[in-house]
Amino acid sequence: MPASAVTVDSLSKRFGANAAVDGLSFFVSRGEIYGLLGPNGAGKTTTLRILAGLLPPTGGAARIEDVDVASTPREAQRRLGFLTGGTGLYARLSGREVLHYFGALQGLAPAAVEARLATLATALDLTGLLDRRCEALSSGQKQRVSIARAVLHDPPVLILDEPTVGLDVLASRFLREYIAAERTRGKAIIFSTHYLAEAELLCDRVGLMHQGRLLAEGPPAALRAQAADAGSLEEAFLRLVAGRA
Amino acid sequence: MRVVWAKELRETLRDRRTLGVMLLFPLVVYPLMALLLTEVIAGKEAAQGTRPSRVAVVGGDPAARETVRALLRSLPPGVRPGIPSASSAKATDGGFEVTGESGGGDSRETNASRSASTAEVTAGTLDAFVDLDPEKEAAPIPGADLLAIPAPRPLRVIYDETRPASDQAHDRLTLALGSVLPVGCAPTFAVTSTSVATKTKVGGYVLSKVLPLIVVIMTMLGAFYPAIDITAGERERGTLETLLTSPVRRFDLMTGKVLAVTTLAALTGALNIVSMSLTVAETAKLAGGATAGLTIPWTRALATLLVVAPAAFLFGSVMVAIGAMARGFKEAQSLLMPVYLLCLTPSLATSAGDFPLSGVTMLIPGTNLTLLARDLMLGDARLLPAAVTLISTLAFGAGALAFAARLYDSERLLTSTDSDLVGIGAWLRHLLGRAPARRGTPGASPSVAASPTTAGQALALFGIAFVLWFFVFTWLQHWRLLPGLLISQWGGFLGLVWLFARSTHRPLANVIGLRPPRAAAVAGAICIGMSCWIILGILADRVMPPPREVVENIRRLIRPPGQDRPLWLSIFALGVTPAICEEALFRGPILRGLRHQLPAGLACALTGILFGVLHGDVWRFVPTALLGTLLSWMALTSGSIVPSMVSHIVNNTTLIVLGYYGLDEAGEKLSSRANLLLAGGAVILLVVGIVAVRAGRQPLNPKTSPDTSSVSGVT
């Protein structure tokens, strides 16, 4: 069994002359929530897309459960669940149809999907939602169906790219509680956000990204201390960026 | 109101695709469609018109039969005595080929020969026959008895109205026999007509005229919106990213999508066949008259369903591939509409002219399906053409599917934007490849001036050249051939390249790749120029032989009858000038722009196709496109435009000299052995030329354009 669930080693990604990710390295253990924080354009989404097998890296390596993402993306994709703020649901299909579709793409039999749905319906409060068309659901309800889609095949790694964007306070809280519960189930979770306060509440460790690089990494409290005893993670980030400049 | 108007206009005009559709569509696509349609139909009509009608004469006494036969044989092609008004319309009339000595003296023999001829007309081995013993007597001419005018001899033309050649023979016979005396005199013959086609056959014929085109149109339309919805629509709705994180091969993903579009398109096509057949049947009932009792051949109508699935797969694949390139619904519509119309054009041309499903037409997507649907409807479908059509259609569809799957592997789906093109000015600079304004313009890229020609610029240049050629240059050349040609080439094509170089602040020599070539490359270019016209000529004759009239037009162009144009002038105007100016445009910025974003082989092929299109002659398209591809390869391999110019000059000059002295006509009379030797020699010379060009290879533009420095993909 590998030492860490996710390993990123000197990862880089260039778009023409622009380096979106530049020599990034970090790891995420099982049962850990790792926050990837930074302003817009810091390279968070690009990093997560590489991890999810959506973009090929220009250099370095990324491994999910010791499976190299660049060389065997399908194998890596079987081991992860991917969730974004845009829910990625098919508006004209019902929640159940969407989940059966993605379950089939993951290689699950219909009966296995139904069995899994029975569990998830309780955990995510999906009762009554699954047979309605997705276009008729509220943002929070869509996000709950979307979480079910991401964890349907019970992957050991969850990649969450700004999943609380556009959600109200209650829905955001529900999502955070679910993520925390998944941590206790031993999942490795990478959580990207530019809401630093949210990361502070949820993450075991955070990596602060700026211009494609990791400025600092560690538990939120340690980062605050590192940035001259900053009162918050946000203040710590601003001081670290200012220090770089 | 003004503020909203200005904002909406600004936002819309920033969309390159909207402008592309707004400008490119009417200026390029429609002329292209019109050109293709008129060329194909005119060529076909010319070919049909010169074909003699195969006819027979039955019934009557031997003397009367011989009189009618002699009369028909005496009518030379293109001349119809006593029909002054029809002379222009029938100028290419191919006359008659009167067959056999059918019919005897007694009624039993006459009946036997009548039955045999009817069977021949039905089978298509005879176009029509003239029956001198019709059952009905001719109507008397009013007042004829008072003037002692003899009653005209009744005769009947038997033909098959569902067969164009037979229909043409019927028209020729009725015109020829109905008007053998000068205008104003009483006719010698009273001609009536009877078609041997059954009501069912006529029903099939009527349907064959409309159904194939409708099926192709509706199948394409059936694929149109689903293809957009499952590609660009998925991307726009934000479900694509989620989908691509699933552990599924992109090819499987795309195949599933294409099959879904295929299913919907096939259903649309099938429903249209059924609906159209029912509609024609009902309309015939309601209309009465000649169409009353028209029967629909349902078995054949159902057989046309055979083309629906391959057509749906082909169009589904093409449209999904195009849709996969778009970033949103609107953009996909903009991209697909011209493709839709261009895909439609071959089918339109096919339905307008009566072409056989044979030779190269079996391999032209859309055209072959339309022809196969027609043949199925008429009950004339043959196994080999049908198999080739279906297999080639499926192969084209599979190619488009593979292309679409490759696009889905690309990170461009998730990352491309036009966000850097902030203002209309920046957009125009981007389109033209101009450097940012000297004083600095927000949003303009500082690297534009140094960047090589892009594929977008190459296509825009072709679009402008095409518009100029279609709307201005052809008009100039009709006005005065040589001055018009010289102005079009030097001022038009070369002028366009010069303007492009000026606007992008680059030396003209860099834009067209004018640099010293290696001696071996030039020697190879000469060999290729001397040999490829023979090979391409043979190929053109095999694949799509041009009608005699087209060949004669080219001869008249080289040496106009009644004019004493010196040879050197023909060589300079028709040979050297196009070779320099067309090469500067096509092997210059167009080839280099396409090469910037495409693999070398594809860039060469696409440049060749554009080169063929701009020559505006459907009969010469294949050889011209192949020549263009070869010249493009030469320019890329040699790293200079000089060899392709030299080769083009040698090719043109050889053809002009041959045409000028009439040697090409002499060549047509060569024995097959001599032809074989000539072709063999040409192949050897071509291979020697290719080897020499490869030996003289050098990087295309090593200092300024590293992306085009290697041509290993071609050679």
Side-chain angles (χ1 to χ4, degrees), chain A residues 105-190:
Chain A
L105 292 180
Q106 287 288 350
L108 299 178
V113 174
E114 276 302 323
R116 179 80 175 132
L117 279 186
T119 312
L120 290 174
T122 312
L124 291 166
D125 194 17
L126 297 175
T127 313
L129 301 183
L130 288 177
D131 294 312
R132 285 162 60 189
R133 279 191 178 199
C134 292
E135 63 193 350
L137 303 177
S138 70
S139 297
Q141 290 169 333
K142 280 181 189 166
Q143 190 62 299
R144 296 214 296 275
V145 175
S146 198
I147 295 168
R149 178 196 55 72
V151 300
L152 190 65
H153 54 298
D154 202 14
V157 176
L158 285 177
I159 295 175
L160 313 175
D161 187 12
E162 305 195 5
T164 55
V165 168
L167 296 185
D168 62 24
V169 177
L170 287 175
S172 296
R173 186 170 179 173
F174 177 87
L175 182 63
R176 283 199 299 272
E177 286 171 358
Y178 185 79
I179 292 168
E182 287 295 290
R183 169 175 54 191
T184 59
R185 292 183 62 228
K187 310 268 182 185
I189 299 164
I190 304 179

Side-chain angles (χ1 to χ4, degrees), chain A residues 13-15 49 52-56 74 77-78 82 84 87-90 92 101-102 105-106 149, chain B residues 229 234 237-250 253 257 409-412 414-415:
Chain A
K13 178 67 186 175
R14 301 186 76 84
F15 296 107
R49 281 178 169 176
L54 293 170
L55 294 176
R74 309 290 163 256
Q77 283 171 334
R78 288 186 203 288
F82 188 77
T84 65
T87 52
L89 299 177
Y90 294 98
R92 296 186 290 257
Y101 175 56
F102 281 100
L105 292 180
Q106 287 288 350
R149 178 196 55 72
Chain B
D229 192 56
E234 173 133 55
R237 289 189 295 268
T239 50
L240 179 66
E241 191 174 17
T242 311
L243 181 66
L244 293 179
T245 59
S246 303
V248 183
R249 289 193 310 149
R250 300 292 177 262
L253 208 58
K257 284 175 178 289
D409 257 337
S410 167
E411 66 187 52
R412 155 178 48 183
L414 296 169
T415 55

